[in-house]
Amino acid sequence: MILIQEWWGLDDHMVEVADQLAAAGFVTLAPDLYGGRVVHDADTAGQMLADLPVDQAAKELSGAVDYLLADPSVTSTPLGTVGFCMGGGFVLQLAAQQGDKIGAAVPFYGVGPAVPHQYSTVTAPIQGHYGEQDAFYPVDQARAQEQQIRDESSGSVEFFYYPAGHAFHNDKDLLGTYNEQYAKLAWDRAVAFLKANVH
């Protein structure tokens, strides 16, 4: 499993999510796209995201795929990938870029410059989790993204929408939008989906 960070960096929440994936039985790798930097305010996080070279990050994530596929403790091919916010955008890009190497893609409110313009190379099933009150990525844009993926990809597509804001899964959410009920529901759905598709 490749876990891709939010715009805050590889923070304590991402470490906890990696541990949860490991507890569910997945060998999990969380590449550090910020080179060790973690930020705690939205302005700095936005600047870090703006400064992130998307092509270089995509190359690093491609390397993460190759690294996991070569790891003898990884028994599944293809791999799964999960990401949040900026990381959700990279999940979609990775699925488009890596084709059959990705067997399941789970973007949580996938936004940012990495979101692909087209999905014709996506073969993995995708399960998306989006907030209906997301101020960063309005739900009509999320629904348009869902429809575009349905129209262009060859994998199955399932999006869930929750009466919650952006980053509703993050219990350390600095935006104040964490929702325990919907975070658990989305996570349970994601883990079941990953177990069904990555084994």
Side-chain angles (χ1 to χ4, degrees):
M1 194 68 52
I2 296 174
L3 172 65
I4 311 178
Q5 69 195 49
E6 291 180 296
W7 68 347
W8 309 114
L10 203 58
D11 60 7
D12 290 344
H13 175 63
M14 287 296 103
V15 173
E16 288 177 5
V17 173
D19 288 344
Q20 290 168 0
L21 287 168
F26 298 108
V27 176
T28 303
L29 176 63
D32 187 349
L33 299 180
Y34 284 175
R37 290 192 63 191
V38 174
V39 299
H40 302 286
D41 68 273
D43 288 344
T44 308
Q47 191 60 53
M48 290 287 287
L49 173 57
D51 292 344
L52 180 69
V54 172
D55 291 346
Q56 178 61 34
K59 186 176 178 183
E60 290 174 13
L61 292 170
S62 176
V65 170
D66 294 339
Y67 177 86
L68 277 184
L69 288 174
D71 187 325
S73 63
V74 175
T75 57
S76 65
T77 53
L79 305 175
T81 182
V82 181
F84 299 82
C85 181
M86 170 189 92
F90 276 109
V91 159
L92 295 171
Q93 184 188 72
L94 201 59
Q97 177 193 70
Q98 295 291 315
D100 292 343
K101 291 182 181 179
I102 302 299
V106 181
F108 278 74
Y109 24 90
V111 299
V115 173
H117 297 296
Q118 60 82 28
Y119 297 90
S120 60
T121 54
V122 173
T123 59
I126 293 176
Q127 184 186 82
H129 301 276
Y130 290 78
E132 292 174 341
Q133 285 113 44
D134 191 327
F136 284 86
Y137 197 58
V139 69
D140 59 334
Q141 293 181 37
R143 292 188 191 280
Q145 181 188 86
E146 176 188 9
Q147 189 59 52
Q148 184 184 359
I149 298 170
R150 284 185 189 282
D151 292 343
E152 298 177 5
S153 76
S154 59
S156 64
V157 181
E158 181 179 46
F159 271 42
F160 292 101
Y161 298 92
Y162 304 87
H166 189 74
F168 67 86
H169 179 264
N170 188 342
D171 61 356
K172 294 177 174 56
D173 176 21
L174 302 174
L175 302 176
T177 52
Y178 171 64
N179 185 296
E180 182 178 9
Q181 175 187 354
Y182 297 118
K184 182 179 187 314
L185 176 59
W187 186 250
D188 289 347
R189 285 170 167 169
V191 170
F193 172 78
L194 291 167
K195 286 184 173 180
N197 290 286
V198 182
H199 44 76

